Amino acid sequence: MVTRRDFLAGTGIAALSLTAGLRPSPTQAKDLPASGGSLSWGVETEPSTLNPHLNGQAKAKLILRNAYETLLARTPDGGYLPWLAKSCSVSEDGKTYTFTLRDDVTFSDGEKLDAAAVALTKLKEPTYSGSISAGHVSHVSEAIAVDSYTVVLKLNDVYSPFLDGAAGIEILSPKSFSSSQLKSGGPDIAGTGPFILDRYIKGQEIRFKKNPGYNWAPENAGHQGPAYLDEVIYRFLPESAVRTGALTSGQVHVIEGIAGNDAALFKDNPDFTYQSAINTGTPYTLFLNVTAGPTTDVRVRKAVLAAVDVERVIASVYRGERKRAWGILTPADTDFYDKSIEGRYGFDTGLANRLLDEAGWTARDAEGFRRKDGKRLTIEIVQSQATLRDQRDILLQAVQAQARQNAGIDLALQYVDAGTYANRQKDGQYGIIPNSTTTQENGVTIYFHYLPRAKGGSINYSRTEAPEISAWLAEAASTLDARKRFEIYAELQRFALLDQALGLPLYVPDDQIGASIAVNGVGFRPFKRLPENAYDIWLQQPA
């Protein structure tokens, strides 16, 4: 098996070997798996679109992964396995990637998977997907269908995160791109997955039926052939208490997104199973805008970081069920997480108040908020409703209270719809945007967060254009040496958090699954650690 670290250890690589790595089975049953039945799963987040290319919600991947698949699968350590591609080779200079596809894969619309379907042509169009076109595929100079089952992708330059991104893009049937459903997603948007979209009732549920011809699962799947279940139904239950009640009362078989207060209901309960896993990607972080309002002053930004007792807030909100964050990546990112950042900054009311005094915010109003030049020290936090999950509203209120009590900072909370959020993000009219990302690309999310927006930083919420950061990212992207990249990212992290205070990491995103004891095979994706689709799940039949 080739791990990511092996692959990135040097540039003199002629081919990437793909071999099996077994996925650990989260549940083991004494009986053989039973086919048939319908599973009901209560989920926290309704997809903003059913097109996997356009949906940026990590929580929605649980649903969409039933119907859409990628070229390569991942192992727990970040290695690669064959999936829709049965092999991949990389040129000696690191600029040419050749994928050889399976010849037995069929889309749910009846079309055969071939090289034309993975040539990435549509993905390079900014009008289709701005984030994808500005990301990995922006480095592709040419995509060549050598024959029906061979695709060659040539890069403009060495881009070390390329395989992580390109191999993880969901493959759609070419017919899908001419469908009127392309933007919203629907039955006409065909994938190769073990389930086929059957019905979607907005605000209520989405149903998938078994793909009877499915027979191309990766080698680390729990079985081969069609899914065990005939049907899986995802019910949209945004309130944690409602999801918990639905599971305990038998209205659903499985739920995800379990509040810290509710975890005890399922832990060590013989009627249920409970699992949790931290995600790869970036922590839930308050990104401070360096281009507008009080946060243009680095002293104010550093004061925000020092004014909040993050440890206490996380313990209070999540009751020990979430981990406090420190870095620009989560600890699940084993290649590039730099543990040395832990404890290097943090809660210090004396420092926070001293910095604000130095910045001229010395006056106080009747409510205790700091003022300067007749204006209150107000920093607006703009939170998208689409990612307001996992008790984040309560978390932000706790942070708000800490900033006021400890330093006289007014953090004004604004919860906005998708359109307003996109406009505010584009125009830079905010003080703070909170965000986390759960990607399968170790380290590559740093580029999205810290590159200038014009150069691919699609979620650069701090709006930094620091030349030091751009230089580090360019250097890291140009080397396939993982150890060198680690050193570069560590230096960038110290600059971003300690020197410039571009963000305040709060907690490490964590997914939880609670299930009836009758549910077998439910678990997490091996590397990304998001809840897996329903392919390996089967229901224990009554005696």
Side-chain angles (χ1 to χ4, degrees), residues 304-316:
V304 172
L305 270 63
V308 180
D309 188 347
V310 175
E311 203 84 46
R312 180 179 178 185
V313 167
I314 300 304
S316 174

Side-chain angles (χ1 to χ4, degrees), residues 194-228:
F195 291 90
I196 301 170
L197 177 63
D198 183 35
R199 184 174 65 179
Y200 172 40
I201 304 176
K202 191 172 179 59
Q204 297 183 38
E205 66 181 32
I206 184 169
R207 292 176 179 249
F208 292 90
K209 60 184 179 182
K210 177 194 295 190
N211 181 351
Y214 185 80
N215 194 30
W216 43 85
E219 293 182 45
N220 64 339
H223 77 289
Q224 297 295 311
Y228 296 123

Side-chain angles (χ1 to χ4, degrees), residues 327-329 338 341 488-498:
I328 59 176
L329 296 172
D338 178 20
I341 195 68
I488 295 169
Y489 295 148
E491 192 169 6
L492 184 155
Q493 175 175 253
R494 292 189 292 271
F495 179 81
L497 298 181
L498 303 182

Side-chain angles (χ1 to χ4, degrees), residues 497-518:
L497 298 181
L498 303 182
D499 295 345
Q500 295 299 309
L502 300 180
L504 174 58
L506 295 179
Y507 78 98
V508 179
D510 182 313
D511 275 293
Q512 314 81 36
I513 301 173
S516 162
I517 196 64

